[in-house]
Each structure stands twice: as C-alpha cells, then as structure tokens.
Amino acid sequence: TLQYTKRITDHNFSILGGTEYIQNRASSLGASRARFEYTQPTFQYMDFGGTAKDLWNSGTASEWALFSLFGSANYNYRNKYFVTASLRADASSRFSPENQWGYFPSVSAGWRISQESFMDNVSWISDLKLRASTGTLGNQEIDNYTYLTLLRKNGEQYLISRYGNPDLKWESTRQDNIGLDLGLLKNKLTFTFDYFKKTTSDILLPRSLPALVGNVSATMVNAGTVINKGFEASVSYDNTSRDFTYGISANIATLKNEVIKLHPNLPNLT
C-alpha cells in the first residue's frame, strides 16, 4: 500500500492506494491395500497388497486466486466536516472470465454540529454529530469451478454430473445508513440513533434441477434480492467523576426483512 497525507491550514487530506493478490492451491494423494500375505509391518507396503479388487488410489487438486485493487480518500476540516470515499475492484477465479471483476464503492460524510459557532452557548450539549454513508461489499464464497460443467465416467460413457453456469457473478451487499450521535453533560449521557437499509443482490445459492434432467448436482445461480431495513437506538450513562464509578446502557432495534426477487426454481430463502 501507499499513503499520502497533506495538511493545508485547517484542511486535512489523506489518500491511500494498494493492491493484493491471494492464491490458494490444495492437492491430496491417497492409496490403500488389503489382505497382505504377511501381517508383519515389514511386509505391509503398497506393492505387497492383495488382488486387483483391493487396489484403491486417489488424487485431487484445486486452486483459486483473488486479485484486488483498492483506494480511499479522506477529507477533514477542523474536525467538523468529514468525507471519506473508497473503491475496491476484485477479480476472482471462481467466476467465468467474463464475470471475474466486481466493483465495490463506498462514501461517507459527517458533520459535527457541536463544533459550529452557533453552538458555543449550548454548554449542556457536549457532542452532536450527523452522519450518513453508503457502501457496497462483494461475496465470492462459493466452491471452486462452480461456473463449469462437470462430467463423470459411467463405464465407457461420460455423463454430466453438474451443469455449470457461466453467467454466475459476484453477490453484492449495499448498505445505506444515516445516523445521529448526541452527547450531553460532558458526554456522561450519550444517545445514538441509526436508520439502515441493507440490500443484498445476486445472492449465490445452489439451484436443484428437475429430476427429468437426470441425476445431477445442484447448479449455483444468482438467486435473488433481499432487503433488510430498520432503526437502531441506544442510550448510555457513565459516571466516572467519583470514587464509585458505574455505567448503564440500553438499546432497541427494529428489523424488516423482504424478499423482492427470487429465482423461479427456488421456492423460498432460508
């Protein structure tokens, strides 16, 4: 990563940029034999096993990679106005070459109202801040090669064991939030209020195919869109000015969940 910071009088700037590459490879090799002519460990090697029916060998390998570019910029004026913006671009080998890239931006802003001159005479308010944000995150947590069609051998024939989905793409979750922080009596009494809306699109789920298609495993699809929204509020009181200190806090929240889009072959989301 690279970072640059700059201060011009009361204006503070910072910029960060970076890249990341993750590669994972796993492989396994196994073999077994049975019915050895001699039971002593000296003779129990693979080549000394029983008949051809007792031979068993296996080996597998898989790999995946993730390449990322990311950057962010921050602005702060007199610890009063705040703005942050960021962008992340990820390329995952778990999707087809046409859909490997996902782009996930975010931006947030804050206004500390208690720092304004018109609040100078309101001594009982220690802190008052209004904030808002919106941002998107991506999800690529699926099995490797799910966009490819898999085959299995049955005698001299090769049969499809799972249909691939080359149109598979990143699942994304966007969260919008607006909130207010309030501190009273030198921040002994604090309140926090938030309204949020979380939208998850292109949800990655396996879709089972009808039996008439054959004996095949479920195909991964971008199954639908779900919205969660609600309010959160909390209050706390901290008394640290005496020998006996204590704190009290409480919170309340509401949540509404709504499925607004669903693949026709998926009767429900759980």
Side-chain angles (χ1 to χ4, degrees):
T1 59
L2 295 175
Q3 186 173 14
Y4 173 78
T5 60
K6 181 70 174 180
R7 180 173 182 175
I8 305 174
T9 61
D10 294 325
H11 303 271
N12 297 278
F13 305 86
S14 68
I15 300 174
L16 181 143
T19 183
E20 181 181 38
Y21 179 68
I22 301 173
Q23 185 178 34
N24 179 281
R25 177 176 173 82
S27 62
S28 65
L29 180 66
S32 69
R33 300 293 186 269
R35 287 190 279 251
F36 289 88
E37 294 185 7
Y38 301 96
T39 59
Q40 291 88 345
T42 307
F43 296 96
Q44 291 183 343
Y45 290 94
M46 294 297 175
D47 286 349
F48 300 159
T51 64
K53 294 183 178 180
D54 299 318
L55 304 181
W56 179 84
N57 304 302
S58 69
T60 62
S62 65
E63 60 182 348
W64 63 271
L66 179 68
F67 175 68
S68 304
L69 298 169
F70 53 87
S72 65
N74 297 276
Y75 171 73
N76 173 4
Y77 176 71
R78 287 190 174 184
N79 201 31
K80 186 189 304 184
Y81 309 117
F82 309 86
V83 178
T84 299
S86 66
L87 175 64
R88 184 180 182 97
D90 295 299
S92 172
S93 65
R94 289 176 171 167
F95 302 102
S96 67
E98 294 78 12
N99 296 312
Q100 286 183 349
W101 283 97
Y103 302 93
F104 311 106
S106 67
V107 62
S108 64
W111 176 25
R112 180 160 276 119
I113 306 172
S114 55
Q115 293 288 93
E116 297 289 354
S117 58
F118 59 78
M119 297 290 293
D120 290 344
N121 296 324
V122 190
S123 58
W124 54 279
I125 295 182
S126 311
D127 185 38
L128 179 60
K129 183 180 180 181
L130 181 66
R131 48 188 168 74
S133 64
T134 181
T136 304
L137 295 175
N139 176 29
Q140 55 113 30
E141 294 305 317
I142 54 178
D143 291 338
N144 299 326
Y145 317 116
T146 52
Y147 71 93
L148 296 173
T149 296
L150 298 185
L151 302 178
R152 59 184 173 87
K153 190 174 183 181
N154 183 15
E156 298 300 321
Q157 293 182 318
Y158 285 92
L159 305 177
I160 293 176
S161 61
R162 187 198 67 205
Y163 285 93
N165 181 8
D167 297 325
L168 200 64
K169 58 184 178 180
W170 283 82
E171 175 185 310
S172 63
T173 298
R174 171 180 169 175
Q175 180 152 333
D176 305 314
N177 187 90
I178 185 168
L180 181 72
D181 300 324
L182 174 63
L184 307 177
L185 307 174
K186 296 183 179 180
N187 286 325
K188 286 185 177 181
L189 181 63
T190 59
F191 298 86
T192 300
F193 305 95
D194 282 281
Y195 170 77
F196 65 90
K197 180 180 179 182
K198 181 179 178 182
T199 304
T200 303
S201 305
D202 299 316
I203 299 174
L204 294 166
L205 287 175
R207 183 192 70 176
S208 297
L209 298 179
L212 60 88
V213 177
N215 183 21
V216 295
S217 301
T219 296
M220 189 67 66
V221 297
N222 294 109
T225 302
V226 174
I227 292 179
N228 293 280
K229 55 186 176 182
F231 293 92
E232 294 179 347
S234 65
V235 57
S236 65
Y237 179 79
D238 292 305
N239 188 346
T240 58
S241 60
R242 300 181 180 180
D243 293 336
F244 176 69
T245 63
Y246 62 91
I248 302 172
S249 63
N251 63 78
I252 188 172
T254 65
L255 178 64
K256 180 181 179 182
N257 177 278
E258 182 181 5
V259 179
I260 62 173
K261 183 181 178 182
L262 184 63
H263 195 283
N265 285 71
L266 292 169
N268 54 63
L269 288 179
T270 59

